[in-house]
Amino acid sequence: MTRTDVLSGLRERAARHALLPLRTFLGVTFVYAGLDKLTDSAFLSADGPGSIGELMRGVRDTSAVPALVDTALNAPVGFAVALAVGELLVGLGTLAGLLTRIAATGGALIALSLWLTVSWAVTPYYYGNDLVYLMAWTPLILAGAPYLSLDSLIRSRRSRRTA
């Protein structure tokens, strides 16, 4: 095997697994974010320092979609739990590579809603992280998790059965 063959094989393997670091980072981050919210009693309160209610009231007038914030304020604790559980499920699905495109779409929708509400007024825009998360989910929506995932395992088992 020549040096060119070895390099070509390494490039092919790297290209095949290029989304794995992104998938790992987003999965771990969303699992952590969900668990952090679920275990923070201050956050899971309608009022008080560090509560979801205080946060939502603080960003309401500067958000791009105040009606979205108003909807969350109708049941702030329920919204906080739904957000945390959503982040947890998105993160676990992404890490396992199970229904990856659906999980990534969920992650993108969470990031979009946070960008339009919580970080909309951040100036300059690139200081806010929610827009970056929204863009980071896009490759996983498009490509899924073709390697080292439950999706690829399921796909290979199905193709063996039909062959």
Side-chain angles (χ1 to χ4, degrees):
M1 190 177 289
T2 68
R3 180 176 185 262
T4 304
D5 292 338
V6 170
L7 288 176
S8 178
L10 288 174
R11 281 189 199 106
E12 183 182 319
R13 177 175 255 157
R16 201 176 327 144
H17 294 91
L19 292 178
L20 191 57
L22 181 62
R23 196 176 111 208
T24 303
F25 170 76
L26 290 171
V28 167
T29 300
F30 270 58
V31 166
Y32 178 77
L35 290 174
D36 190 46
K37 287 174 181 69
L38 288 172
T39 58
D40 184 351
S41 59
F43 182 79
L44 293 176
S45 299
D47 295 302
S51 69
I52 184 68
E54 180 182 272
L55 173 69
M56 292 280 96
R57 283 187 290 281
V59 301
R60 192 227 177 258
D61 293 335
T62 59
S63 73
V65 189
L68 193 58
V69 179
D70 291 339
T71 301
L73 282 169
N74 287 332
V77 175
F79 173 76
V81 170
L83 174 62
V85 169
E87 287 173 335
L88 188 58
L89 292 175
V90 163
L92 290 172
T94 302
L95 284 173
L98 181 62
L99 303 172
T100 308
R101 285 187 169 106
I102 293 170
T105 300
L109 289 172
I110 290 169
L112 176 63
S113 68
L114 292 174
W115 176 54
L116 292 173
T117 56
V118 177
S119 62
W120 181 255
V122 173
T123 304
Y125 76 92
Y126 52 81
Y127 282 169
N129 63 352
D130 296 313
L131 180 58
V132 175
Y133 281 108
L134 173 60
M135 294 300 113
W137 284 110
T138 304
L140 294 176
I141 293 170
L142 296 173
Y147 298 99
L148 300 174
S149 66
L150 291 175
D151 288 344
S152 65
L153 180 66
I154 292 166
R155 196 170 32 259
S156 68
R157 287 189 178 184
R158 282 185 185 156
S159 66
R160 274 189 250 144
R161 282 187 203 151
T162 59

